[in-house]
Amino acid sequence: EKGGYDHYMLKEIHEQPQSLRQAIAGRIDDFEGRVDLDLSLPESFLREVDEIQLVACGTSYHACLFGKQLIESLADVRATVEYGSEYAVGSGRTPDRTLVVGVSQSGETADTLRGLRAARRSGVRTLGVTNTVDSTVARECDDAVYIQAGPEIGVAATKTFGSQVVTLALLAVAVADARDELDPEVAGDLLDGLQRLPGAVQGVLDDEETIRDVAEHYADGEAFFFVGRQFGSPVALEGALKLKEISYDHAEGFPAGELKHGPLALVTDETPVLALLTDGARPDETANNVREVQARGAPVIAFSSATRGEEDVAEQFSIPDLGLLEPLVANVYLQLFAYHLANSKGRSIDKPRNLAKSVTVE
Ligand code: F6R
């Protein structure tokens, strides 16, 4: 049932070209540059919406951090991201013009449901973005959009992260359109990128041996840091979460600019730093932070746009030209890095200690 792979996690990483295609299937009208998510939320509501609050946990929370930036840049509407466990409606909000989007792979996460229920009680409209048809999130929200990734068995979420981001990108275009904010060129580039994403991800999967060798080479690192900016920032957080979950190594992700505000104290020649230096991740600014960690002797593993050549990095992976979606392609390298590092240590990859696939307690 693992399709010849040693673990579900590896199988699911490899399914991504297909699952990413499924996320957009039938949803993009190329000719018109439009998106159809089959929403039942009234168009008039979407036109008037003045805040979109994204509510989620863990990996889904990271997907929301990516989605928030897409929504704000395309639809010119304020978007916030909140942990399900911390969500509170707060004062100064406008419930009748707010949309709360609950993002949950399983659709059963108690913390996320708690946030969504608080939103509903205050009269806010809710939209569920989930992988699981008929899940509690899908049933309790006013409307639901499915990410269509197929079942995910490995406890560590992999393929569903990309599908969540893609679905939120489609939502950003749909909201921009409803609000008459759609810039055809910007939307066209994004939709074109979404269609080329599965091919770019396949390119990463074809390079698996290289990243496996790198993961095994650095497996004895004392701690691992992941840095990026803009769309690279949520991917840095996600890369660190994946590694800590399945390898039990200390891993932390930061927006690259935050390094010098504290974490830099931990950087030594024993702490590999994985850096996102692609388009969409403000690579020139991040390169400055990379120099700061290099000065402390840290080996740098760079994921860079094809046009860039980094100086003095220990390893460099090249990401094909995909504009602001490049960090999402680099994320697949980070998934493979986590997998192979953990596998070389003989960890229980599909069922890491202390974790459950669906967390139904608060
Ligand atoms: C990470 C992971 C968890 C989940 C989190 C939310 O690999 O699997 O962090 O992302 O528990 O789960 P869902 O998306 O089902 O609400």
Side-chain angles (χ1 to χ4, degrees):
E1 77 274 27
K2 292 182 203 144
Y5 293 99
D6 287 344
H7 298 95
Y8 282 111
M9 182 181 176
L10 190 59
K11 173 175 180 264
E12 287 156 4
I13 290 172
H14 277 266
E15 280 170 357
Q16 290 179 103
Q18 177 64 21
S19 53
L20 292 167
R21 258 179 230 117
Q22 285 162 204
I24 58 171
R27 291 175 164 174
I28 298 180
D29 177 342
D30 264 332
F31 191 67
E32 297 261 356
R34 289 218 144 98
V35 161
D36 184 4
L37 285 173
D38 211 11
L39 296 175
S40 65
L41 290 169
E43 180 98 5
S44 57
F45 167 70
L46 288 178
R47 184 166 37 243
E48 299 293 322
V49 91
D50 65 9
E51 179 167 357
I52 296 182
Q53 300 174 348
L54 300 150
V55 178
C57 307
T59 290
S60 300
Y61 179 89
H62 299 152
C64 290
L65 293 173
F66 205 119
K68 163 206 153 82
Q69 300 187 64
L70 289 170
I71 291 168
E72 290 197 329
S73 63
L74 268 88
D76 193 30
V77 60
R78 176 166 46 148
T80 61
V81 187
E82 300 187 44
Y83 291 112
S85 56
E86 294 286 328
Y87 179 83
V89 176
S91 60
R93 293 270 163 79
T94 46
D96 53 324
R97 292 174 64 180
T98 300
L99 174 65
V100 166
V101 182
V103 180
S104 172
Q105 186 288 127
S106 62
E108 303 298 341
T109 300
D111 288 327
T112 304
L113 284 166
R114 181 197 157 280
L116 286 170
R117 286 170 185 156
R120 282 178 69 87
R121 272 197 305 277
S122 71
V124 174
R125 282 198 216 239
T126 54
L127 169 68
V129 173
T130 175
N131 195 30
T132 315
V133 176
D134 244 7
S135 55
T136 309
V137 164
R139 280 185 282 109
E140 289 193 6
C141 287
D142 296 310
D143 201 353
V145 175
Y146 294 106
I147 64 169
Q148 305 180 159
E152 187 176 67
I153 313 281
V155 164
T158 52
K159 65 174 176 174
T160 53
F161 173 78
S163 297
Q164 288 170 336
V165 171
V166 166
T167 306
L168 292 174
L170 296 177
L171 180 67
V173 175
V175 173
D177 201 3
R179 288 168 52 77
D180 278 332
E181 292 285 348
L182 197 69
D183 176 331
E185 203 168 314
V186 174
D189 281 352
L190 178 63
L191 296 177
D192 175 59
L194 293 177
Q195 283 161 314
R196 291 192 294 122
L197 181 61
V201 166
Q202 186 60 54
V204 174
L205 297 172
D206 293 343
D207 193 30
E208 180 169 5
E209 273 181 38
T210 321
I211 188 76
R212 185 197 63 204
D213 290 348
V214 168
E216 290 174 359
H217 182 77
Y218 292 98
D220 293 329
E222 213 165 76
F224 297 83
F225 300 117
F226 294 72
V227 297
R229 288 171 186 256
Q230 198 187 4
F231 296 103
S233 165
V235 169
L237 301 184
E238 175 58 11
L241 179 64
K242 224 71 320 173
L243 183 61
K244 77 179 80 163
E245 280 184 292
I246 61 167
S247 75
Y248 316 148
D249 281 305
H250 177 202
E252 288 187 64
F254 316 101
E258 281 296 303
L259 253 174
K260 58 187 171 302
H261 298 292
L264 199 53
L266 301 174
V267 170
T268 69
D269 57 1
E270 303 285 328
T271 61
V273 175
L274 292 88
L276 294 149
L277 295 152
T278 63
D279 276 11
R282 307 218 308 262
D284 292 337
E285 288 160 72
T286 302
N288 292 333
N289 308 114
V290 162
R291 280 189 277 279
E292 291 160 7
V293 303
Q294 283 173 323
R296 276 85 189 168
V300 171
I301 305 170
F303 302 89
S304 303
S305 292
T307 49
R308 292 180 62 89
E310 312 302 342
E311 272 169 42
D312 299 326
V313 293
E315 317 283 346
Q316 184 174 343
F317 290 88
S318 174
I319 306 297
D321 179 19
L322 211 61
L324 56 82
L325 293 173
E326 288 178 23
L328 205 49
V329 180
N331 183 57
V332 178
Y333 271 122
L334 302 187
Q335 293 172 342
L336 290 169
F337 181 84
Y339 174 83
H340 285 293
L341 194 149
N343 198 34
S344 74
K345 295 185 172 184
R347 303 295 190 224
S348 166
I349 302 230
D350 282 334
K351 285 193 193 317
R353 67 185 184 201
N354 310 340
L355 301 177
K357 183 68 181 161
S358 172
V359 186
T360 53
V361 292
E362 290 185 23

